[in-house]
Amino acid sequence: MDVSGGSGQPRSDSPDPTEHRPGPTDAGRDPADPGATTPTDQAEPTTEKPEATEKPERPEATEKPETTKPRETPKTPNSEETPQTAVTPGTAQAPEPVPVPRLDAPREGDRPGPAQSGMAKGQPPQRPKEPGGGLLMGRPFGVPVYVAPSWFLVAALITWVFGGQLDRVLPELGAARYLVSLFFAIAFYASVLVHELAHTVAAIRFKLPVRRIQLQFFGGVSEIEKEAETPGREFVLAFVGPLLSLVLSGLFYLAMQPVEPGTVPGVLLAGLMVSNLIVAAFNLLPGLPLDGGRMLRAVVWKITGRPMSGTIAAAWVGRALAVSVLIGLPLLNHWGAFGGNTADSSGMDAVTDALLAAILAAIIWTGAGNSLRMARLREHLPELRARTLTRRAVPVETDTPLSEALRRANAAGARALVVVDADGTPLSLVREAAIVGVPEHRRPWVAVSGLAQDLTDGMRVSAELAGEDLLDVLRATPATEYLVVEETGEIYGVLSAADVERAFVRAMARPS
């Protein structure tokens, strides 16, 4: 299922990003004044030559820059990227919120995860090398499988409940029935793991990155980081999980045939057959975040040609399903629809049924809402373009005093400094935070090279990048500033992670 969530609302005092235009800033502005310029009132960088004119279409590196004193980047609240996930209820599970203004969607081997750190001043949040999420059990197909601490609570609950049922069916077992019940709990969650591995194998087949599989309170979740490219693939990706659960149910049924019904193996096989059938049936319900909801989304997407329309339809069906579960499950159980004896039911049973229904309804409702937020995120991602968010920059040599560099930047209307060698090859970027830390009276005596961060390959960003491709590049090499270059290798300007963050928040605030 697709899961998303998270929000960020940092203060933003600049308009929506636009293609940057050449034009100097006010000469009277103090280059160290944080309010001197906003992320979008910059001009495109131009190459300063004798009697050269500025080109509005493509900024080039201009002469020795002066930058304005950077403002402190507002921190964004923590938000998690819920990569798109496949949840096995039975298993339903509370979806993780998604990564929003954090430039990430966590992937294995990267930095936190859908749960993760918030954005540090102007820097893409870092994720841990391992997504975490409990006890690591193994890496089938290279994907880490975690057991969350909540699983142990459920295992204890299943052991207790199933043990009580065994006492009525096989009273001769005595206290040993709880060992049999514990084995059933482990075997049931092994079936859930097979369900999730089906989603994982299909995702790998479609070249979609899978961050992790996690077994938790109400089942399992496969965290798939990217959306399927076609409705057909989306349908297959969702359907393989319930299909495997149906296959397992059939296999347990066949295994029951040669076994005597009143024995421990017979009871265990019958329980696993029924539980896998319930898992498959529940997941096929047509509402997000369940697998059936993703299948409905794929069908609507195919008919309308718009993935967002499919998400909206499946999410609202999911919300209707949540209300139905909240009201209908206790009533059906009270009327004996699940084989119980209504005459023996107590007030405590009614409370338990209502609590279970409320938990399932909350999980489904929340997952449907998160799916809508994630779809909205993906719809607005193309608005993030490196070319429109880039700050104008001017080149300065390593021994240039900071005060002189700032003067040149202010005169050129630039907001960033690129340190170059004698041949004009970029070596490093002067960090905004470092400029703020230098008192004005010391700036004539401080060389820009002492405030610069050396350029790495990951800090060179193509001006043509946009959307998820841009965010992927920034996530791969966390930094506060990036050098933006044309395809020819010419300097286009400097991209600040703080500007990307603000543009992201503004895009998410606009309605779909």
Side-chain angles (χ1 to χ4, degrees):
M1 83 181 193
D2 287 326
V3 176
S4 72
S7 60
Q9 205 57 40
R11 178 179 62 80
S12 176
D13 53 4
S14 61
D16 292 340
T18 55
E19 197 78 25
H20 54 162
R21 305 169 296 280
T25 55
D26 229 30
R29 289 184 180 175
D30 180 359
D33 179 11
T37 54
T38 63
T40 56
D41 65 21
Q42 83 223 27
E44 299 195 9
T46 57
T47 307
E48 182 168 319
K49 299 176 184 174
E51 301 179 9
T53 57
E54 293 180 323
K55 299 177 183 177
E57 309 82 85
R58 181 182 60 77
E60 299 179 22
T62 55
E63 65 159 7
K64 324 267 176 174
E66 239 186 291
T67 67
T68 60
K69 175 180 176 182
R71 289 171 301 181
E72 245 189 358
T73 308
K75 289 188 180 178
T76 346
N78 219 13
S79 56
E80 306 194 331
E81 184 150 173
T82 326
Q84 98 172 276
T85 61
V87 168
T88 306
T91 158
Q93 92 115 22
E96 291 186 28
V98 194
V100 192
R102 302 173 323 104
L103 303 176
D104 64 280
R107 283 192 181 124
E108 191 200 317
D110 261 342
R111 312 164 298 285
Q116 329 299 118
S117 58
M119 174 89 75
K121 304 190 174 184
Q123 179 171 352
Q126 310 234 343
R127 295 175 298 180
K129 293 187 177 178
E130 286 296 338
L135 181 65
L136 179 63
M137 301 302 293
R139 294 175 177 275
F141 306 103
V143 177
V145 175
Y146 291 92
V147 173
S150 59
W151 177 85
F152 295 96
L153 176 63
V154 176
L157 182 61
I158 292 175
T159 301
W160 178 63
V161 172
F162 195 68
Q165 295 175 344
L166 281 177
D167 191 34
R168 292 193 292 270
V169 179
L170 299 169
E172 66 276 10
L173 285 178
R177 67 182 183 272
Y178 291 110
L179 288 177
V180 177
S181 299
L182 178 60
F183 178 81
F184 171 79
I186 295 172
F188 169 69
Y189 268 87
S191 301
V192 172
L193 177 59
V194 171
H195 176 116
E196 296 305 330
L197 284 173
H199 291 301
T200 296
V201 171
I204 293 172
R205 173 69 179 80
F206 295 143
K207 295 182 170 51
L208 300 175
V210 181
R211 181 171 169 260
R212 67 176 175 180
I213 295 173
Q214 188 181 48
L215 301 179
Q216 41 191 246
F217 188 79
F218 264 98
V221 54
S222 301
E223 296 180 8
I224 302 168
E225 294 198 15
K226 290 191 176 180
E227 201 173 61
E229 297 175 354
T230 66
R233 290 186 174 187
E234 173 77 356
F235 189 93
V236 170
L237 193 58
F239 181 62
V240 291
L243 178 62
L244 254 292
S245 292
L246 286 172
V247 169
L248 284 176
S249 182
L251 291 175
F252 286 126
Y253 174 76
L254 293 176
M256 282 172 55
Q257 302 314 304
V259 176
E260 189 175 342
T263 62
V264 170
V267 172
L268 284 175
L269 289 170
L272 290 171
M273 179 198 71
V274 172
S275 60
N276 276 278
L277 191 60
I278 293 173
V279 167
F282 190 78
N283 269 277
L284 287 172
L285 293 175
L288 287 173
L290 304 176
D291 292 329
R294 294 179 61 192
M295 293 161 65
L296 174 62
R297 174 182 182 270
V299 171
V300 177
W301 176 4
K302 178 67 174 178
I303 294 171
T304 63
R306 294 187 68 244
M308 188 65 180
S309 298
T311 301
I312 292 172
W316 279 105
V317 172
R319 286 174 169 175
L321 183 62
V323 175
S324 301
V325 167
L326 180 63
I327 299 172
L329 189 61
L331 290 177
L332 289 173
N333 206 33
H334 178 71
W335 294 335
F338 302 117
N341 189 345
T342 57
D344 296 338
S345 61
S346 64
M348 182 58 69
D349 292 332
V351 171
T352 303
D353 294 340
L355 181 60
L356 176 62
I359 293 173
L360 287 175
I363 289 171
I364 296 172
W365 183 280
T366 303
N370 283 345
S371 297
L372 278 175
R373 283 190 289 273
M374 181 51 125
R376 185 176 170 190
L377 161 67
R378 294 185 185 281
E379 190 175 56
H380 287 306
L381 272 182
E383 298 175 20
L384 301 180
R385 297 187 296 275
R387 189 174 292 278
T388 59
L389 294 171
T390 296
R391 298 179 176 187
R392 182 175 185 162
V394 290
V396 291
E397 294 183 356
T398 56
D399 56 352
T400 304
L402 177 58
S403 59
E404 172 61 15
L406 293 175
R407 185 196 66 75
R408 294 176 186 174
N410 193 58
R415 297 184 59 223
L417 300 171
V418 179
V419 179
V420 299
D421 61 15
D423 298 325
T425 303
L427 303 175
S428 55
L429 301 178
V430 179
R431 295 171 294 121
E432 285 186 322
I435 296 175
V436 175
V438 179
E440 193 165 351
H441 68 277
R442 285 187 44 79
R443 291 178 180 177
W445 316 107
V446 175
V448 292
S449 58
L451 307 174
Q453 180 178 7
D454 290 341
L455 282 171
T456 63
D457 289 339
M459 291 173 63
R460 296 173 188 267
V461 176
S462 169
E464 304 304 322
L465 286 177
E468 271 192 276
D469 292 337
L470 173 61
L471 298 186
D472 287 343
V473 169
L474 301 194
R475 280 201 305 264
T477 308
T480 54
E481 291 93 12
Y482 300 84
L483 179 68
V484 181
V485 296
E486 294 283 13
E487 293 180 355
T488 59
E490 294 176 272
I491 297 174
Y492 183 81
V494 171
L495 178 65
S496 168
D499 292 347
V500 177
E501 176 193 1
R502 283 190 287 267
F504 188 106
V505 172
R506 285 195 298 272
M508 287 299 296
R510 286 195 288 272
S512 300

